Amino acid sequence: MRFETFVLERQQSIWENKVDYNLSESGVHPGSLNSLFDKKFVDKINNTELTYGFTEGSLNLRKAIADIYDKTNPDNVQVFNGSAEANMVACLTLLEPGDEMIYMVPNYLQIQGFSKGLGVDVKPFYLHESLNWKPQLDEIKNLVSSKTKMICICNPNNPTGSVLSKNMVFEIGDIARQAGAWILADEVYRGAELSGEECTSFWDIGYDRTIVNCGLSKAYGLPGLRLGWSIANEDYIQNAWATHDYTSIAVGRLSDAIATHVLQRTNRKKILTATRTTLRKNLDLFQKWLDHCPGRFRFIPPEAGAMAFVYYEFDINSTKLVEKVRDEVSVMLVAGDWYGMDRYIRFGYGAKQDDLKVALDRIDRVFNTL
Ligand SMILES: Cc1ncc(COP(=O)(O)O)c(C=O)c1O
């Protein structure tokens, strides 16, 4: 089993803690325990014994997660170390060499790279910039065959921030149902919609072979907790729990306790409202920055997430451009190349606003020389 390099994560691993300003993130800037929670709760965390946790996630946490979705109970929930682990476990649990997967592109390429390493045949379907980064559903229909084991969706999408309409979600559900294929929906950006309205979850289509993966890293701004989950039918959850015994046993005890608190209905609402307020303000600042250099960029604003996926007119390769920005002004960006899409850059605009302003000024200094 050989895994291709996961270029985006590798680059972040090397550089994100070395640069002055990290605009390679796709979530809002995280806070500390003291800044986010009251003293009573922080004391509770301070006094929690660091035993192993619950390998499926504590019942209270699974109840809080189930409460986010319709017609869901804790037996439909497995808790993971980030949605990345939820994605990995789904592949390990369901896929075999020679299986066929239909995969949304562009995308966070974890599932594609991991599945290829497992010997899966990955067939892309595309989001089109001319359609505001939406798909042509006929493309999916034409790719599906009797060998299709899984259709993989990232909604809201990384890197474009586009969101599928409710109709599209249901239509993709129908395509999967007719093929008897699994749907693996990575919904880690759900909750970070700029409109304030939570997008339709693939869970809502009511199709038994659906796995919805999500977590606290993006919309909730808590990536350091490494907390994610899968929602699926009870049989799949039992199988995923058994696979998880091999991967990381359990999530951290403290992460489970903090996540349970964060996902209580009123707390969740408060956190997501704060995220959206930050995103709207920062996107406004970012859009003004783009607008002051007309002719340089083409940009469809995101509907969700702290990512702006921008086409640029400069005559330079995207990896070279982000390296130049990183080396000359110590700001990290994401190259379109890392998504297989040269001439695009992904700007993470979820940073603290003062940092975002300084980072954009610094980027300007480089762009003005091109
Ligand atoms: C679409 C998508 N899925 C999963 C992940 C991994 O997130 P987590 O921190 O929840 O493991 C990311 C991270 O950028 C992502 O963009």
Side-chain angles (χ1 to χ4, degrees):
M1 206 180 293
R2 289 220 162 262
F3 297 105
E4 63 194 28
T5 302
F6 190 172
V7 184
L8 166 60
E9 285 299 335
R10 198 83 290 274
Q11 287 295 318
Q12 285 184 309
S13 299
I14 297 169
W15 293 105
E16 66 186 344
N17 294 311
K18 291 191 182 135
V19 291
D20 291 347
Y21 296 96
N22 179 16
L23 299 195
S24 77
E25 276 302 330
S26 54
V28 286
H29 188 76
S32 64
L33 278 182
N34 278 332
S35 70
L36 293 170
F37 306 114
D38 61 29
K39 187 171 176 321
K40 195 170 151 219
F41 181 69
V42 175
D43 281 348
K44 184 181 158 192
I45 292 299
N46 282 336
N47 289 304
T48 302
E49 288 184 341
L50 297 177
T51 58
Y52 274 109
F54 300 81
T55 68
E56 71 276 51
S58 67
L59 181 58
N60 281 342
L61 175 53
R62 286 182 294 119
K63 271 186 186 159
I65 293 168
D67 191 44
I68 300 171
Y69 302 89
D70 275 349
K71 297 187 193 138
T72 314
N73 68 62
D75 293 336
N76 298 116
V77 182
Q78 169 66 43
V79 176
F80 290 105
N81 284 279
S83 46
E85 193 191 28
N87 289 338
M88 176 188 167
V89 165
C91 298
L92 285 173
T93 305
L94 293 176
L95 298 175
E96 289 174 39
D99 279 347
E100 197 176 271
M101 167 187 284
I102 292 178
Y103 188 75
M104 178 185 270
V105 169
N107 205 327
Y108 177 67
L109 295 173
Q110 179 208 1
I111 294 174
Q112 170 171 289
F114 192 67
S115 303
K116 280 186 179 171
L118 295 176
V120 171
D121 182 13
V122 180
K123 298 192 164 166
F125 73 93
Y126 295 93
L127 302 181
H128 300 279
E129 190 174 6
S130 58
L131 299 175
N132 290 333
W133 296 117
K134 302 285 192 293
Q136 286 269 24
L137 295 187
D138 281 346
E139 272 180 43
I140 309 179
K141 281 186 196 150
N142 292 337
L143 285 172
V144 169
S145 77
S146 56
K147 284 204 296 179
T148 305
K149 184 74 163 279
M150 189 180 267
I151 300 178
C152 286
I153 307 289
C154 179
N155 188 54
N157 177 255
N158 173 1
T160 63
S162 71
V163 172
L164 296 172
S165 65
K166 184 176 178 183
N167 271 352
M168 281 183 172
V169 169
F170 276 77
E171 282 182 47
I172 293 170
D174 284 343
I175 296 171
R177 212 186 295 259
Q178 276 164 28
W182 285 84
I183 291 182
L184 176 55
D186 183 336
E187 298 185 354
V188 73
Y189 294 95
R190 187 160 180 262
E193 299 83 356
L194 286 123
S195 69
E197 201 179 312
E198 220 149 298
C199 64
T200 306
S201 169
F202 272 82
W203 188 245
D204 294 343
I205 64 182
Y207 171 48
D208 197 39
R209 292 190 173 182
T210 302
I211 302 163
V212 167
N213 290 343
C214 192
L216 297 186
S217 295
K218 310 299 178 184
Y220 302 82
L222 297 168
L225 291 184
R226 307 306 305 125
L227 200 294
W229 58 84
S230 283
I231 307 292
N233 73 53
E234 291 181 20
D235 283 346
Y236 171 80
I237 291 299
Q238 286 296 318
N239 292 336
W241 185 17
T243 307
H244 181 54
D245 290 341
Y246 279 106
T247 56
S248 65
I249 306 177
V251 300
R253 182 87 199 197
L254 300 186
S255 295
D256 189 308
I258 296 167
T260 305
H261 181 73
V262 162
L263 290 176
Q264 298 308 304
R265 235 179 243 194
T266 45
N267 296 344
R268 177 175 187 265
K269 195 165 168 215
K270 219 165 95 187
I271 288 176
L272 294 183
T273 303
T275 294
R276 289 160 174 161
T277 306
T278 301
L279 290 184
R280 283 187 208 112
K281 277 191 200 150
N282 283 13
L283 185 57
D284 190 48
L285 186 136
F286 180 74
Q287 181 76 61
K288 286 190 176 117
W289 178 80
L290 277 186
D291 291 346
H292 90 274
C293 5
R296 281 178 171 179
F297 306 111
R298 200 172 67 218
F299 174 49
I300 294 171
E303 293 167 272
M307 304 156 284
F309 199 53
V310 178
Y311 179 87
Y312 61 85
E313 298 287 352
F314 310 116
D315 189 16
I316 177 171
N317 162 268
S318 57
T319 300
K320 291 226 162 66
L321 182 53
V322 300
E323 284 172 359
K324 193 172 165 60
V325 171
R326 186 194 71 211
D327 294 344
E328 291 180 14
V329 294
S330 197
V331 177
M332 182 169 186
L333 295 165
V334 173
D337 259 353
W338 305 345
Y339 289 93
M341 295 175 74
D342 192 21
R343 289 300 195 108
Y344 288 86
I345 288 187
R346 194 189 82 177
F347 294 78
Y349 69 87
K352 288 184 200 160
Q353 195 165 96
D354 286 347
D355 289 348
L356 181 62
K357 273 186 200 151
V358 178
L360 292 175
D361 279 349
R362 287 194 186 193
I363 294 168
D364 243 355
R365 297 212 300 260
V366 180
F367 283 7
N368 285 336
T369 66
L370 296 172

